[in-house]
Amino acid sequence: GESVGLHLPTLSVQEGDNSIINCAYSNSASDYFIWYKQESGKGPQFIIDIRSNMDKRQGQRVTVLLNKTVKHLSLQIAATQPGDSAVYFCTGHGNQFYFGTGTSLTVIP
Amino acid sequence: EAGVAQSPRYKIIEKRQSVAFWCNPISGHATLYWYQQILGQGPKLLIQFQNNGVVDDSQLPKDRFSAERLKGVDSTLKIQPAKLEDSAVYLCASSFRLAGVRTDTQYFGPGTRLTVL
């Protein structure tokens, strides 16, 4: 079946450094991907999305890279801030959205 | 713009009791989703509505879970009877169009944290 997962369950970075969160997916038919951020006690919040006809998309302080050859996504956060501490999910859309297990990002002041 | 509203925020019940959760999506959003998120895991889709029709309920445990969206706006999710393993956060989300169009963003509510004792 389909699966979307994340490489590392936890990641700690120093404030001001760049963060890279990785994600792998199994369904070659997935053509749309979204990264969500979930803070404690809240629902997931949209960060950025990318379609399969693109390999890179940039937002404010965030960049998503898509490598369809190896079925891999990454979320890059520039100049990580304490407010970036959260669990990050990548979701892939085949017939429905599948959430991975998430990476918990901790920003060290 | 108001976000997705859910109530209650917290609920504690004993096993075999019944419980219901309510969701009010963002105005104008035709698609509504219910997710179950067990501690330490990602959200798992339980049911998806397009207006008041069910699009996907393949992962809904239909022997104990039910959901409805009678007028295509608000929705309720019910568990009867509850089991210990139902302890989780139940998230409601909505999007403007059917997710299959592949451009939709889901907007999530804060969730209802259910504890079954």
Side-chain angles (χ1 to χ4, degrees), chain A residues 31-32 34 36 38 41-44 46 49 51 89 93 96-101, chain B residues 9 35 37 41-43 45 56 59 91 99-100 102-106 108-110:
Chain A
D31 57 2
Y32 180 51
I34 301 178
Y36 285 94
Q38 187 174 26
K42 298 182 179 179
F46 173 88
D49 59 1
R51 299 188 193 191
F89 295 97
H93 185 269
Q96 61 172 248
F97 281 99
Y98 290 86
F99 282 76
T101 53
Chain B
R9 290 296 313 276
Y35 288 86
Q37 186 173 23
Q41 299 182 16
L45 180 68
D56 184 350
Q59 298 194 80
L91 295 162
R102 303 166 190 170
T103 59
D104 288 59
T105 297
Q106 294 178 50
F108 285 82

Side-chain angles (χ1 to χ4, degrees), chain B residues 46-112:
Chain B
L46 293 175
I47 189 167
Q48 177 182 334
F49 291 94
Q50 174 75 1
N51 296 310
N52 60 349
V54 175
V55 173
D56 184 350
D57 64 357
S58 57
Q59 298 194 80
L60 186 73
K62 299 180 186 61
D63 58 332
R64 297 184 301 107
F65 287 65
S66 64
E68 60 183 14
R69 194 185 184 201
L70 292 175
K71 296 183 179 179
V73 181
D74 293 5
S75 177
T76 56
L77 176 69
K78 297 179 181 178
I79 308 175
Q80 179 180 12
K83 293 185 175 182
L84 297 177
E85 58 261 36
D86 298 332
S87 293
V89 174
Y90 291 84
L91 295 162
C92 179
S94 68
S95 63
F96 181 67
R97 293 175 299 176
L98 181 63
V101 179
R102 303 166 190 170
T103 59
D104 288 59
T105 297
Q106 294 178 50
Y107 296 87
F108 285 82
T112 297

